[in-house]
Amino acid sequence: MKYRKMLTSLPKPPGAPIPTAHGPRDWQKDMQDALRGRDALLQFLELNPTEAPESLLENPKFPILVPRGFARRMRPKDWRDPLLAQVLALSRENLRVDDFSDDAVGDLASQVVPGVLHKYASRVLMMISAQCAIHCRYCFRREFPYGDLPRGKDGHEDAWSYLENAEGVDEIVFSGGDPLFLDNKRLEGILDHAASLPRIRTLRFHTRLPIVLPSRIDSGLVNMLAKAGDTRAVVMVVHANHPNELDETTRMAAQALRRAGVLLLNQTVLLHGINDDADTLADLSRALVAQGILPYYLHQLDRVSGTAHFETPESHGLELIASLREKLPGYAVPAYVRELAGEKHKRPLT
Ligand code: SF4
């Protein structure tokens, strides 16, 4: 009850279109213009691959993809930039490490129909897009067999049938890939279908686009979300790992979403050498709160093949959380969790 009240008390001018900085299709142009491949990225940052401090992959199977707007937030000529470190493919990705596997969180075992994961009692995850705007090297789904997902506008019929009969489920988590990679027309069809399911009270998006491609938050999208919010709670869990990821463009995207009545939360992955120090995490929380986004989860790294060099020990994560408690108000300290295959909820580590 309190939760509904919190959502409905967010500013939302009834019936009025919500202005945004972006028009339809701006984001698709931005994606056409994205940096693809190692050399394009390094050239943009004025870095020479022959001077790299460690061995790089030139053509990784999980290709390098970075929107230019996100690359502009990196420091030129700096191999140690924390945003660059999230997208640059190192030869270390090819090391086989014990306990790291292709499906670390048990996605395939929880797939009830193609593209639908049912892990937790009250919510079901629908993978509605196989694409992302950026390829994060530590991605927990980097090995997911996206080619097997249903395609096209009628591709979700099995998912809808499953949801119609899923007892106790009152929330759909739209995921992928990135669910906001679908264009507004496709997304509207999905939201309309979700709105026809009487048991569903909450529509949640797990997306990195408001951070890495803020132009995606265009007027068509925010007005569609505002309309969906008239009958359902709409929650968006964005994904930022470092304070340098947030700038004026993400602030404007977050503002438009909040005006549409969307509850904004953030999840962060704890990443060695990128954000595993208390000052960086505290600055991230402060930057998120300043943009109206509540820090929600700090994830211990999922042990997916190719990502071992990003792992920080849990004992260090616990020290970081203790330090954050001293630095920040309680609402700005994320819950430190890890996901383990087969468990009925994320495991709290604090
Ligand atoms: S945006 Fe999310 S799903 Fe896509 S590559 Fe990054 S971590 Fe993976």
Side-chain angles (χ1 to χ4, degrees), residues 30-31 35 42 100 131 136 175 205 241 336 346:
D30 289 344
M31 274 322 296
L35 297 165
L42 293 184
F100 282 72
Q131 287 174 279
C136 315
S175 182
F205 292 84
N241 301 311
Y336 182 35
K346 304 249 182 336

Side-chain angles (χ1 to χ4, degrees), residues 62 131-142 146 175-178 207-209 212 239 269:
F62 183 47
Q131 287 174 279
C132 290
I134 191 167
H135 287 170
C136 315
R137 306 316 303 175
Y138 50 83
C139 177
F140 71 124
R141 289 209 179 109
R142 52 180 284 163
Y146 286 111
S175 182
D178 199 305
T207 173
R208 192 144 158 68
L209 264 61
V212 302
H239 172 182
V269 183

